[in-house]
Structures are given as structure tokens and as C-alpha cells.
Amino acid sequence: MNRKYNFSAGPATLPLPVLEEAKQQLLNYKNAGMSVLEMSHRSKDFITILEETKTALTKVLSIPDNYDVMFLTGGASTQFATLPMNFLKNSAGYINTGSWSKKAIKEAKLFGNVNVVASSEEQNFNYIPQDISLPGDVDYNHITSNNTIFGTQWLQFPQRGESPLFVDMSSDILSRKFDIQNFDVVYAGAQKNAGPAGVTIVIMRKDLTEKSNTSLPSMFQYKIHADKDSCYNTPPVFQIYLVGLIAKWIESEGGLETIEKRNRQKGELLYQTMDERSSFYTGTAKKDSRSFMNVTFRLPSEELEKKFLQETETKSFSGLKGHRSVGGIRVSMYNAMSLEGIEKLTEFMKDFAQQNS
Ligand SMILES: *Cc1c(COP(=O)(O)O)cnc(C)c1O
């Protein structure tokens, strides 16, 4: 079929069985006589799709009853503003671990005081601050679970403490098991691990939804979105459908336990390949903060990095160029990237190091 090994940071590779199912149902969804793309969001078929998506997500993530699950638009970047708009009355604690945290902080500052509890900016975000104690006297604290650009990830989350804890999980939601009850809000743009671009998943403790700001324009009120079951306005129907297919795919693969194991295997293979050639491949993230989703490394020179990227393009690998703020190479390996893809890439990396050192 000539599909490439797609290492793009996002939008990213999706599971082939999901694409095939969507393709098969594209023109006529389960005998509805129309595509999901063409359906009213008030129709029985779509309401069923929405319910099935929520049920499947709730199951894979073990979301308890006291959380709302919403499907919103505007990407995670809109949540950077909507969360403080709703909950920041005096001050909020933010941990600054990369470009996305910085953007979240910038938006929050429009609405109140931001207490930067910890930051790794002085070392170009190459680590996750350890042993954090989150302040208990703020409206909420905020962390970014995986730093897509800098290749770092919270391997162990800080304890929630007295104040609510919000997490931007855009680039590692559904990649591993975690206790949702350590968080009051989990949000994610879907386009890395959970679906296509265009839908944002927001999981919010119901008591917090109840306390959200009701004097905002309607589209910025969580209470309205929750009360209207994400259908206050026209929701991104096709994206919600695909998120549902992905959640069901994860379930059929054995749930998050299996997915996490596979992601570890992929990460360990890639990091081992780098570390065994550490004079050639230099990881940019500190070892105790390395991400299992986005792996960032440099080669001995920019010329070699260019050559590396040129050769990968001819090998049906795609999307390996690092973000400009780090340079070098970035391998994004979300759930839908197979172990086989990483095996092929590491074989290439071994050969390339041998031929060029
Ligand atoms: C990609 C990404 C975002 C940006 O999401 P949009 O949906 O494009 O707004 C935010 N946070 C993190 C951690 C990301 O990886």
C-alpha cells in the first residue's frame, strides 16, 4: 500500500485498522444511508456515536462517574485560555517544562497571577523538575505531562495536594496507565495519540464544572458544554467518531496495559540504540526525564543531520526533522507507530552511524 513509517509529531500516524474501518463506513455508516460526515449532530445515529465514544474512553481511561467528558474545539491552545478564564480568580501554579507550558502560562497571565512553581527553562527544558511540592493556596496547579518538542515526560506525576491539578496531556494521553483521580482536569488535543486534529478532549471533575465561571460567553463555559453533552453547538462529528474508533481499538489490543508495554519496548529499543552509539547520537533530554512518545537527539554535525534526514526520506520514513528550538532529529512514536517501525528505524540508525563515524 506504500504507507510510510510516519514519525510526525502531530497530526500523527493513526492505527491502520481504524482508518480501514472509517474508510469502509465512509459512504454509508452502518446502513444509515449517509456518511458520518453528513449526519446531523441531533440524529439518533450520531447521538449513539457520541455515547459510544464516551463509553469507550471512559473504559480505557477508567474515568470515574464524578467526571464530565467533553469534546470541544479550538485545540489544546484554546484550553490554555479557557481554563484560567473559568478558574483563575487570584493565582495559579504552573510548572514550566517547555513551549506548551510557556504558552499556557502566557494565556493564564491575562486572567490573574501566575506562580511558576518550577521551571527547566534555564537548561533549555532538557529535564522534568523532580520532587515538586505543589502549592495548596492557589486556584489550581497546571502541568504538561509530555513535552512534545523537548522530548521529556513526567514519568511520575507530582501529588495533587490541596489545590486542584490540571494537566495538558495532548501528546501522551492513552499511551500509558495513570490514575485520573490525581487530576481535576485532563485535557488533550486529539491529534497525537487520540484521533485526528479538530477535537479536544476535556475530562473535568464534576464539582469543578459546577464551580466554573457562568458569566462568560457561552462557548467558553464548561457548564454549558457539559450540560449540553458537547452539543451546545455543532460538535466535530467525524473527529468524535474517530476518537471512538481509536478507544475501541485500544480496548481490542488489550487496553492501556498492553499499549504501555508496547510503548516502553519501542522507547527502550530506540534509547538503547542511541546510548550504544553515544558519541554519534546525543540525546537532548536527561535520562531520568526521557519521553516514550517523542525522542530527540543530535548528530555530530548539522551536515550529518541533513544527510540523515535525506537518507531517511528515501527509506519511506517521514517526519523525523527536529523542532527548530532543539534542532537535530525527533522521533515521535505514538501508539499507532508499530514496534516494527522502530526496529526498521534503529537498523537504519546503526548502519548510518557505522558509515559516517
Ligand atoms: C500539540 C500540543 C499542543 C497544541 O495543541 P493544539 O491542539 O494544536 O492547540 C498543546 N500541548 C501539548 C503538550 C502538545 O503536544
Side-chain angles (χ1 to χ4, degrees), residues 191-205:
Q191 67 272 20
K192 277 99 185 211
N193 241 340
V199 63
T200 313
I201 301 164
V202 178
I203 305 163
M204 182 173 286
R205 259 173 70 133

Side-chain angles (χ1 to χ4, degrees), residues 272-284:
Q272 189 194 344
T273 306
M274 282 163 53
D275 291 344
E276 284 171 2
R277 294 157 189 78
S278 59
S279 57
F280 195 80
Y281 295 115
T282 313
T284 58

